[in-house]
Amino acid sequence: MKKILFFFLILFFSSNVLLFAQPIAAGYNHSVILCGSGTLKACGGNWDGELGDGTFTQRNSPASVQGLSNITSIAVGDYHTLALKNDGTVWAWGYNGDGQLGDGTTTDRNVPVQITSLSNIIGVYAGGYHSFALKNDGTVWAL
């Protein structure tokens, strides 16, 4: 508990950009931060585009995830990330070798792509190489 609190305090005081940081999710080698403004920051490894900044460059300090706003929830797998917008849409990026992004391909994405087959989503969940979405009717969808 002390390490988590210490880590959060460092983030809190180290940058006014992260002053209103809410949840932080960590994958195998990357972390994603949901800021109070509904935008995302990410840092760490980026070999498969898991930072969502349009590059494959590793980042030692948080960089903005491209093109997203109004994010309410995030989930992170080993090398991929999911974001839920306030309109119930799901966005995904990073490693997609097992189809975990849910976009119908196995192509890695270094920017967020909308999962157009999903709507009315109220929760997103990610494991190592898999992803799930919870619909407002209580059904669970594997991506």
Side-chain angles (χ1 to χ4, degrees):
M1 183 67 175
K2 285 183 180 180
K3 284 185 179 180
I4 293 171
L5 181 59
F6 182 71
F7 179 70
F8 181 76
L9 289 174
I10 289 172
L11 284 176
F12 187 82
F13 291 112
S14 66
S15 170
N16 62 359
V17 173
L18 300 177
L19 187 60
F20 299 106
Q22 294 172 356
I24 300 172
Y28 184 77
N29 65 0
H30 75 292
S31 299
V32 180
I33 303 156
L34 174 55
C35 300
S37 61
T39 59
L40 300 176
K41 301 280 185 180
C43 59
N46 197 25
W47 295 273
D48 301 298
E50 55 265 45
L51 299 186
D53 65 353
T55 74
F56 295 99
T57 304
Q58 180 174 322
R59 305 280 181 194
N60 294 324
S61 60
S64 294
V65 174
Q66 286 191 1
L68 290 180
S69 59
N70 301 313
I71 301 301
T72 61
S73 182
I74 54 176
V76 174
D78 279 357
Y79 303 99
H80 71 289
T81 305
L82 305 174
L84 175 62
K85 289 185 78 166
N86 65 357
D87 62 2
T89 59
V90 176
W91 298 73
W93 60 97
Y95 180 72
N96 197 27
D98 297 305
Q100 62 267 46
L101 298 186
D103 66 351
T105 75
T106 54
T107 302
D108 298 345
R109 308 289 182 173
N110 66 0
V111 294
V113 293
Q114 183 178 356
I115 311 310
T116 56
S117 60
L118 295 175
S119 61
N120 301 313
I121 302 301
I122 60 171
V124 289
Y125 310 91
Y129 296 93
H130 57 280
S131 304
F132 297 96
L134 175 64
K135 273 191 107 156
N136 64 356
D137 64 3
T139 57
V140 176
W141 295 75
L143 304 187

